[in-house]
Amino acid sequence: MGKFILLTPFIFTVLILFMNYRRKKSRQDGVPISLASFIYPGLVVFAVSSLFFGLVAMISHPIISFFSSPKYEAKVVDYDLMESDTDEAKRAIVEFKDHKNQLIKKPLNYGSSHPVEIGEIITIGYEDGDQSVTNLSFGTQKLIVFIVSLFLFVLGLAMAWIILYSLGQDYSIIFRIGIGFVMYLVFPAAMLFFIGILSWVIWEYFQGRRNDMPIWALGICSLFVTILIPAFFGYLKMLFTREKTVKKNSRFSAFKNRMRK
């Protein structure tokens, strides 16, 4: 796995730089190309590809385990602290019986600040001799799955742009997908997040659990919630009415073109 994470980005970077070199050479008509101009792009490509292939390697293990490793139902019985992380990072310890009906107690192969609750039954992947087990109940890892999927999507767009640019192909679709992702997901999610956080602070104050909060801070939270809620619905209305307007304009343009003919 370590060799894959190191070698794959290096090979990918070399191929991308080679394609860019050939593309520039074909445009320069014999003018010498400075190799120093490829240092910074090479570092950027290597960094992006390292993150991308690192994430691919990280998610490939549970996927492979899901299809190949023996599966067992295990119960979370305890936690232990991760050796190299802060005290907040805990690793759940599970107890289960293997195919020999032997009771085994093993930790999960990852730690989290919000580990699986004690007493919960989860599906795990385990082979004889493994030092840890793989959590195959992906519903208990919603935050981790969401974060990994988000980063994988963004890095995947960056990788697709790098490849299309190096091949000299049209990469405008990457920008359209990126803009759509920001407009239809990132902005609404960010607005909902702030509305939720500020509303929770106000709720905690009126429940008497935040009596130490100054009244001016409560006023600011209330003001922003009052502004953000109509802004959120206005933004959604703008997105959907804009979509309808674009469709109507495209149909009207097609009708006018047919009339001209």
Side-chain angles (χ1 to χ4, degrees):
M1 189 68 72
K3 290 182 179 180
F4 172 83
I5 295 174
L6 289 175
L7 288 177
T8 308
F10 178 76
I11 295 171
F12 179 80
T13 303
V14 171
L15 289 175
I16 291 297
L17 292 180
F18 176 71
M19 288 190 292
N20 279 321
Y21 176 80
R22 288 190 60 183
R23 188 168 57 86
K24 283 189 176 183
K25 190 175 180 180
S26 64
R27 291 180 178 179
Q28 300 252 349
D29 296 329
V31 178
I33 301 172
S34 173
L35 295 178
S37 62
F38 291 94
I39 295 176
Y40 179 71
L43 292 174
V44 173
V45 172
F46 183 78
V48 173
S49 59
S50 296
L51 292 172
F52 177 78
F53 289 116
L55 279 178
V56 170
M58 186 177 76
I59 65 175
S60 64
H61 179 66
I63 293 175
I64 293 171
S65 297
F66 183 80
F67 289 104
S68 62
S69 297
K71 301 179 184 64
Y72 303 98
E73 295 297 315
K75 182 178 181 180
V76 179
V77 294
D78 201 358
Y79 300 128
D80 69 350
L81 300 178
M82 299 293 289
E83 295 178 359
S84 58
D85 288 310
T86 63
D87 293 344
E88 295 297 325
K90 297 178 181 179
R91 187 165 55 171
I93 297 176
V94 299
E95 193 176 70
F96 62 98
K97 288 186 177 181
D98 64 1
H99 62 282
K100 299 177 183 177
N101 207 32
Q102 294 179 337
L103 188 64
I104 297 177
K105 187 182 288 188
K106 293 283 183 180
L108 295 182
N109 59 352
Y110 70 94
S112 173
S113 57
H114 299 333
V116 186
E117 294 182 2
I118 292 178
E120 189 163 347
I121 306 297
I122 61 175
T123 303
I124 60 160
Y126 172 77
E127 293 184 359
D128 292 341
D130 287 350
Q131 297 300 314
S132 60
V133 299
T134 304
N135 185 1
L136 301 181
S137 295
F138 300 111
T140 62
Q141 310 172 71
K142 294 183 181 68
L143 181 61
I144 296 174
V145 171
F146 173 75
I147 292 174
V148 171
S149 302
L150 180 62
F151 275 98
L152 194 62
F153 175 77
V154 174
L155 291 170
L157 285 180
M159 292 285 285
W161 180 85
I162 290 170
I163 293 171
L164 290 176
Y165 177 80
S166 301
L167 293 173
Q169 301 296 320
D170 181 22
Y171 48 81
S172 60
I173 187 173
I174 303 298
F175 289 104
R176 289 199 296 270
I177 294 173
I179 292 171
F181 175 72
V182 172
M183 289 182 62
Y184 287 90
L185 184 63
V186 175
F187 279 172
M191 294 173 77
L192 274 177
F193 174 77
F194 282 112
I195 290 172
I197 290 294
L198 295 173
S199 300
W200 176 78
V201 171
I202 296 170
W203 173 260
E204 289 286 296
Y205 177 83
F206 285 108
Q207 289 295 309
R209 291 188 285 265
R210 283 185 173 268
N211 292 329
D212 57 336
M213 187 171 68
I215 193 67
W216 59 264
L218 177 66
I220 291 175
C221 291
S222 303
L223 175 64
F224 275 102
V225 168
T226 306
I227 294 172
L228 281 173
I229 290 176
F232 173 73
F233 287 106
Y235 182 77
L236 290 182
K237 182 180 178 181
M238 182 271 294
L239 286 179
F240 290 109
T241 53
R242 174 179 171 272
E243 201 172 77
K244 290 179 181 178
T245 304
V246 170
K247 288 181 180 178
K248 286 181 180 178
N249 288 339
S250 61
R251 289 175 184 172
F252 184 67
S253 299
F255 176 75
K256 282 202 303 184
N257 290 334
R258 284 197 294 269
M259 290 296 291
R260 286 172 184 171
K261 292 177 182 178

